[in-house]
Amino acid sequence: MTCWYEGPLAAFDTETTGVDVESDRIVSAAIVVQDSAGARARTIRWLVNPGVPVPAGATEVHGLTDDHLQRNGRWPSPVMEEIARELAELNASGRPLVVMNAPFDLTLLDRELRRHRASSLGRYLENHPLCVLDPRVLDKHLDRYRKGRRTLTDLCEHYEVELTGAHDAAADARASLDVIRAIGRRFAARLERLNPAELHSLQAVWHAGQARGLQAWFARSGTVEVVDPAWPLRPELPAAA
């Protein structure tokens, strides 16, 4: 019987105007679908005119300028609808979704749906709950004592996965998918008896523990940053009184 990490998977990634999920916008997105390890992948790409200026710092990361997005990007509303429907269809088919640092990309998509569609990601997925595989969470749990950073670039280097064109949504999504397969193979003895749905539930617990550990480290170092333990989607912030 084929293990989940050798079977059908999809991956999702975004490029954005910044790192604040409540206020920043998606400027590009991609979904990569692969039926089995080594099979040819199908890639869906979106380019978005976010309707707000793209900070220079963000352009330095992904290379997408205001001028390029205004000339070639589509309006956010139909794009967010298409992304959400595609994710819902993949999810309904039982295909696990690979998302590196899932609370960022999925929460940002949720906020864009609320902003432009008066909807939410949960509404598109209400009949079939998410099944997410997050390379960052899995790697931190399975190899918790390894020192060093755990960005996608770092994980690609560690698991010997090729990443060409980093910070392109399609390239990052494909690399995330390859990393999750590599993690599955390396830790097969610990993962092969777990199905993706079980792993989804466990990752929520593992991420919360990782968040508490990082929060404690911040407290010891005098950093005021707050770490959200929610995974794979952060709850909506309460409206201001």
Side-chain angles (χ1 to χ4, degrees):
M1 185 175 178
T2 303
C3 294
W4 60 263
Y5 48 82
E6 302 291 359
L9 295 174
F12 173 60
D13 189 74
T14 65
E15 296 300 327
T16 68
T17 59
V19 297
D20 187 334
V21 296
E22 302 298 338
S23 61
D24 279 305
R25 311 296 176 91
I26 293 172
V27 296
S28 70
I31 295 174
V32 174
V33 183
Q34 189 180 41
D35 290 333
S36 62
R40 185 173 182 176
R42 173 173 65 94
T43 302
I44 311 168
R45 297 177 173 87
W46 292 271
L47 193 66
V48 186
N49 178 354
V52 299
V54 180
T59 296
E60 288 177 7
V61 173
H62 49 58
L64 298 171
T65 64
D66 277 329
D67 181 67
H68 180 74
L69 294 171
Q70 288 168 10
R71 289 174 180 272
N72 301 286
R74 297 168 58 202
W75 289 114
S77 180
V79 171
M80 302 312 150
E81 168 82 4
E82 289 172 17
I83 295 172
R85 288 193 178 279
E86 186 68 30
L87 292 180
E89 289 177 10
L90 289 167
N91 199 55
S93 73
R95 190 181 297 257
L97 181 66
V98 178
V99 190
M100 175 72 184
N101 192 18
F104 177 78
D105 293 86
L106 294 181
T107 304
L108 193 53
L109 174 59
D110 176 78
R111 302 313 191 252
E112 288 278 56
L113 288 166
R114 293 174 188 273
R115 182 178 295 122
H116 297 292
R117 303 294 304 186
S119 186
S120 69
L121 185 56
R123 290 181 185 174
Y124 287 87
L125 302 170
E126 58 188 356
N127 295 322
H128 298 277
L130 270 173
C131 182
V132 175
L133 299 169
D134 189 330
R136 187 170 181 268
V137 174
L138 284 171
D139 176 70
K140 287 183 73 174
H141 176 77
L142 295 164
D143 198 0
R144 67 183 67 186
Y145 299 113
R146 188 177 81 248
K147 296 185 182 299
R149 302 176 64 198
R150 301 185 193 236
T151 65
L152 179 59
T153 301
D154 297 318
L155 295 187
C156 285
E157 181 177 355
H158 181 71
Y159 289 100
E160 299 180 344
V161 167
E162 182 179 358
L163 173 55
T164 302
H167 300 297
D168 168 82
D172 286 357
R174 177 56 192 264
S176 297
L177 191 153
D178 290 342
V179 166
I180 214 74
R181 294 196 190 280
I183 291 173
R185 295 179 189 124
R186 184 167 299 186
F187 297 98
R190 298 168 64 182
L191 294 175
E192 61 186 359
R193 291 182 177 84
L194 296 168
N195 62 45
E198 291 169 330
L199 270 176
H200 178 97
S201 298
L202 287 169
Q203 285 170 101
V205 177
W206 296 340
H207 178 271
Q210 292 163 8
R212 288 192 297 269
L214 182 57
Q215 191 72 75
W217 186 85
F218 281 153
R220 290 193 299 271
S221 63
T223 303
V224 296
E225 184 174 347
V226 176
V227 184
D228 195 321
W231 183 95
L233 181 68
R234 297 177 188 171
E236 185 183 15
L237 291 176

